[in-house]
Amino acid sequence: MISLNGSSFLQQQQQPSICKSCGTFDEARRSPVAFVTLRSKPNGRCRVASDGNGRVLVDGALNEDGSSSSSSSSSSSSSVLELDSKSSGGGPDVYGEDRASEDQLVTPWAVSVASGYSLLRDPHHNKALAFSEKERDAHYLRGLLPPVVVSQDLQVKKIMHSLRQYQVPLQKYMAMTDLQETNERLFYKLLIDHVEELLPVVYTPTVGEACQKYGSIFRRPQGLFISLKEKGKILEVLKNWPQRNIQVIVVTDGERILGLGDLGCQGMGIPVGKLSLYTALGGVRPSACLPVTIDVGTNNENLLKDEFYIGLRQRRATGEEYDELLHEFMTAVKQIFGEKVLIQFEDFANHNAFELLEKYGTTHLVFNDDIQGTASVVLAGLIAALKFVGGTLADQRFLFLGAGEAGTGIAELMALEMSKQTNVPVEEARKKIWLVDSKGLIVNSRWESLQQFKKPWAHEHEPINELVDAVKVIKPTVLIGTSGVGRTFTEDVVEAMAALNDKPIILALSNPTSQSECTAEEAFKWSQGRAIFASGSPFDPVQYKGKTLVPGQANNAYIFPGLGLGLIMSGAIRVHNDMLLAASEALAAQVTQENFDKGLIFPPFTDIRKISAQIAADVAAKAYELGLATRLPQPKDLVKYAESCMYSPTYRSYR
């Protein structure tokens, strides 16, 4: 050991050694280390002090009081980098941001904290021009930065100015991706402060184009790519990821990306985008998030011929080969990260999506955003709308265009809510809901040819082939589009809805914008400005006869970040339908009369963190009520606890 400027560093050591407290090995070669302030639970095991990026470990076994047994680190001058808790924001470290890997057994020394040139290239710690004069001296940054010191707020202002110069949304997406990979906290500060403007950039609709062109714009890998080549070795692949305290995994196989079809390995943009929103909107630590793409090939001929395609160049694997790979993945995830890691299935094709949710719903903490998240946010919008126009869900008649994951998922959750409100069997509630697929109205006479997940929606009725005819016969009060096919709510369809209802509720939910069943302008114009309209992707306000009509956005981002936070903070081990209903009711309660007067059936995204905290609290409360929570005792004020758990992107002070 040597001391430089009152700070302790370790010389490089060549041989692995054994921790006296926990008996684990350090297989990595040691390099100079700077120490950080330590924390420990009173069981005496070796622990790591970290900000969640897994890079800062501990010199010496920890004593019961959390101090190091190494004599060189016992003095108060042994810390060259200390995290200033006052500057971290977001309340106390309840969420374990500074102790993310605390429960792991580790070797009693560790690898170095980045300094100097490497620090500027570490996205977890880089602050660029916001490094203070003192930090520049302490961390060998002199000469590596221009002399000016700026605030994080000024950095945000500058980047927003730059982003607004771009005319092409994909250019903004790429600029945001570059920022995320160079300065993580600034990326999330920017996204949180300008969420309404940047949400369409980092997620739908721009993420759809990004996935289509992912091979061409690919620069640096994000997340884990698990292909058929890794079959039999997935456990080892997961170990390659630098973090161990993973709390949320978003996984896709790329077969049904938004409404764009099979994009294979290039679907990685979806898990990356979703997890950015888990952090920005739900406050889940970035280091606790893991994006995964399962690459089993693609049936997209254009991609197979594309020289820039980054995935396996083969037809998509199916059947036993596919099932075995997915099962190996699910088993390995539970083995590495534990039972309480949330696995969100994203953009799987219908047949796989339902099977995976059914197969692993009783053994893992799993959630399908296309089926359950979409359902929860749409139900919230309907509850909010009916709160102002009058009536109950049971008073309505629903007609869906689209009977896939989203359509049947929404329909089932609505039936559950109606059953709950009226105390009638779910089977009876389903009779209020009608679905149209590519072959027409789903009726009993089609029973033998229907896929299993469509059969609950087959009612006794004459076949109807055209949507407009179904509207005229069924006489729905609510029309919902989940078809993935653009411009299918034609003028005839919307006019028929307006003829039947004083305030027709029309939800064109397919993403991206090009696949929306109709535009906001079309819905308002064809209904003489009377429609209550919401879409999956955003539309601009519409001027109609001197009045500004603001379309709502039924974005899943209202639900899944808060739902995920609630599951994490309660330590839930399973997702229950009652949690989804709780999330819907919590979101609907946030809609005010002022919002509705503007035509909105969802609250503005500017309040999304408060909304997510409320949703998280209600989901956690339901988890405790159902006996599915493991973090005991239950906090007295779940809303305040949720807020205290949220990640803050404010820069920390280093010393």
Side-chain angles (χ1 to χ4, degrees):
M1 303 288 291
I2 59 174
S3 177
L4 298 177
N5 299 327
S7 303
S8 298
F9 291 79
L10 286 179
Q11 296 285 3
Q12 287 189 341
Q13 299 183 36
Q14 304 300 320
Q15 300 298 324
S17 301
I18 303 175
C19 166
K20 294 179 181 179
S21 292
C22 64
T24 55
F25 286 87
D26 177 20
E27 299 296 344
R29 293 192 176 191
R30 251 63 70 196
S31 52
V33 243
F35 295 102
V36 299
T37 302
L38 306 179
R39 300 184 182 186
S40 173
K41 291 181 179 178
N43 60 9
R45 291 191 299 173
C46 287
R47 299 225 191 299
V48 65
S50 169
D51 71 338
N53 68 358
R55 297 174 65 104
V56 186
L57 305 181
V58 179
D59 177 54
L62 298 178
N63 297 323
E64 294 293 321
D65 62 356
S67 61
S68 171
S69 62
S70 169
S71 60
S72 65
S73 61
S74 60
S75 69
S76 61
S77 63
S78 64
S79 177
V80 332
L81 183 154
E82 182 169 291
L83 308 181
D84 183 354
S85 62
K86 293 182 180 179
S87 66
S88 63
D93 187 36
V94 181
Y95 207 43
E97 186 181 345
D98 297 337
R99 313 177 262 114
S101 304
E102 180 177 72
D103 287 331
Q104 300 176 51
L105 300 175
V106 299
T107 50
W109 42 72
V111 292
S112 65
V113 174
S115 289
Y117 190 79
S118 60
L119 177 56
L120 294 176
R121 277 147 186 79
D122 181 346
H124 308 295
H125 295 103
N126 179 31
K127 299 197 289 185
L129 293 178
F131 281 109
S132 68
E133 299 286 357
K134 182 179 179 181
E135 289 168 338
R136 295 180 189 207
D137 287 331
H139 297 288
Y140 311 100
L141 296 172
R142 286 294 177 189
L144 301 180
L145 290 167
V148 68
V149 176
V150 303
S151 67
Q152 190 178 24
D153 287 337
L154 185 60
Q155 288 179 312
V156 168
K157 182 178 179 181
K158 178 182 177 181
I159 293 173
M160 284 306 301
H161 175 75
S162 297
L163 286 173
R164 287 166 180 158
Q165 306 309 306
Y166 292 118
Q167 299 301 312
V168 179
L170 187 60
Q171 292 177 324
K172 296 182 181 182
Y173 176 91
M174 294 171 67
M176 289 292 288
T177 299
D178 286 342
L179 179 62
Q180 186 178 19
E181 294 175 351
T182 55
N183 189 331
E184 186 177 79
R185 286 182 177 271
L186 186 56
F187 169 83
Y188 286 111
K189 174 72 170 171
L190 191 74
L191 185 51
I192 291 169
D193 288 356
H194 298 274
V195 62
E196 288 191 309
E197 184 173 350
L198 295 179
L199 187 61
V201 174
V202 300
Y203 202 62
T204 184
T206 309
V207 73
E209 183 183 1
C211 288
Q212 289 176 310
K213 301 175 180 177
Y214 202 81
S216 299
I217 66 175
F218 181 83
R219 296 179 182 177
R220 290 173 291 271
Q222 294 176 295
L224 278 179
F225 295 84
I226 299 175
S227 73
L228 289 170
K229 291 182 179 180
E230 282 72 58
K231 190 175 182 182
K233 299 180 259 185
I234 293 180
L235 189 65
E236 296 304 313
V237 173
L238 291 175
K239 289 179 181 178
N240 289 341
W241 191 250
Q243 309 300 330
R244 285 294 175 268
N245 191 30
I246 298 299
Q247 294 171 321
V248 184
I249 293 172
V250 176
V251 58
T252 185
D253 70 352
E255 190 171 3
R256 193 201 60 81
I257 297 299
L258 301 175
L260 303 172
D262 187 351
L263 298 183
C265 188
Q266 297 189 167
M268 177 58 93
I270 298 296
V272 170
K274 286 279 186 179
L275 287 168
S276 295
L277 301 185
Y278 263 108
T279 297
L281 312 186
V284 180
R285 287 178 299 105
S287 60
C289 299
L290 174 57
V292 176
T293 289
I294 305 290
D295 186 0
V296 296
T298 179
N299 294 334
N300 187 322
E301 293 295 340
N302 291 331
L303 290 180
L304 292 173
K305 295 174 183 176
D306 185 352
E307 62 178 328
F308 297 130
Y309 180 57
I310 61 173
L312 290 178
R313 294 181 184 275
Q314 67 174 61
R315 304 288 293 180
R316 185 171 285 275
T318 59
E320 187 176 346
E321 185 178 19
Y322 178 91
D323 293 341
E324 288 176 352
L325 187 72
L326 265 293
H327 187 68
E328 183 185 350
F329 168 73
M330 296 298 290
T331 303
V333 163
K334 197 169 182 178
Q335 184 173 342
I336 290 284
F337 303 122
E339 186 175 27
K340 290 181 283 188
V341 62
L342 173 61
I343 304 170
Q344 178 173 316
F345 297 123
E346 194 69 35
D347 286 353
F348 285 77
N350 289 340
H351 55 284
N352 289 324
F354 288 103
E355 289 178 9
L356 289 170
L357 192 58
E358 182 178 0
K359 181 175 181 180
Y360 295 106
T362 57
T363 60
H364 293 66
L365 183 66
V366 295
F367 166 70
N368 186 303
D369 192 43
D370 303 303
I371 299 172
Q372 297 165 294
T374 303
S376 188
V377 73
V378 171
L379 177 59
L382 292 172
I383 293 173
L386 294 175
K387 182 169 64 174
F388 298 109
V389 301
T392 66
L393 278 177
D395 297 330
Q396 312 306 311
R397 289 182 303 282
F398 303 91
L399 180 63
F400 285 76
L401 177 62
E405 296 169 57
T408 56
I410 297 167
E412 184 64 17
L413 199 65
M414 288 196 309
L416 288 171
E417 180 70 8
M418 281 192 278
S419 174
K420 175 183 170 184
Q421 289 181 0
T422 60
N423 201 29
V424 301
V426 173
E427 292 77 12
E428 188 67 25
R430 287 180 183 144
K431 294 179 181 179
K432 299 273 188 178
I433 303 170
W434 297 80
L435 278 69
V436 173
D437 64 8
S438 59
K439 294 180 175 61
L441 191 67
I442 295 178
V443 293
N444 278 339
S445 60
R446 295 176 52 194
W447 182 267
E448 294 301 324
S449 63
L450 290 175
Q451 294 167 284
Q452 191 63 38
F453 60 86
K454 294 182 181 181
K455 289 185 176 180
W457 311 103
H459 305 316
E460 192 62 47
H461 200 282
E462 291 297 316
I464 300 176
N465 294 326
E466 299 298 326
L467 177 62
V468 66
D469 294 331
V471 170
K472 292 175 180 178
V473 173
I474 302 300
K475 295 180 171 54
T477 55
V478 181
L479 178 64
I480 301 175
T482 62
S483 64
V485 182
R487 305 303 181 266
T488 44
F489 288 175
T490 61
E491 184 173 359
D492 288 345
V493 170
V494 175
E495 287 180 347
M497 283 292 296
L500 291 167
N501 304 282
D502 181 49
K503 284 192 172 295
I505 298 175
I506 299 174
L507 308 180
L509 303 178
S510 294
N511 290 314
T513 310
S514 60
Q515 307 304 114
S516 182
E517 285 77 10
C518 69
T519 67
E521 184 176 8
E522 290 167 343
F524 290 132
K525 178 182 176 182
W526 295 336
S527 66
Q528 296 83 47
R530 293 186 282 116
I532 297 172
F533 177 82
S535 56
S537 291
F539 284 103
D540 292 330
V542 174
Q543 295 296 324
Y544 182 79
K545 293 185 177 180
K547 187 177 180 181
T548 301
L549 301 174
V550 183
Q553 187 185 359
N555 195 318
N556 291 16
Y558 278 114
I559 290 290
F560 70 80
L563 175 69
L565 179 61
L567 295 170
I568 291 168
M569 74 186 210
S570 63
I573 56 173
R574 298 290 180 270
V575 176
H576 192 281
N577 280 332
D578 285 354
M579 298 176 185
L580 301 173
L581 295 177
S584 296
E585 291 164 2
L587 176 58
Q590 303 300 310
V591 182
T592 65
Q593 181 67 52
E594 181 183 359
N595 299 147
F596 189 74
D597 289 343
K598 295 178 181 178
L600 297 173
I601 57 174
F602 297 99
F605 261 108
T606 49
D607 299 327
I608 188 60
R609 279 207 150 196
K610 291 182 179 179
I611 295 167
S612 292
Q614 186 63 60
I615 291 172
D618 287 11
V619 168
K622 186 60 67 173
Y624 283 107
E625 179 186 326
L626 296 170
L628 295 173
T630 61
R631 294 186 188 273
L632 302 172
Q634 176 180 340
K636 292 181 179 179
D637 189 329
L638 284 168
V639 175
K640 286 185 178 179
Y641 181 64
E643 291 173 346
S644 73
C645 287
M646 286 183 164
Y647 165 85
S648 168
T650 305
Y651 285 145
R652 299 172 177 189
S653 294
Y654 306 143
R655 78 174 192 182

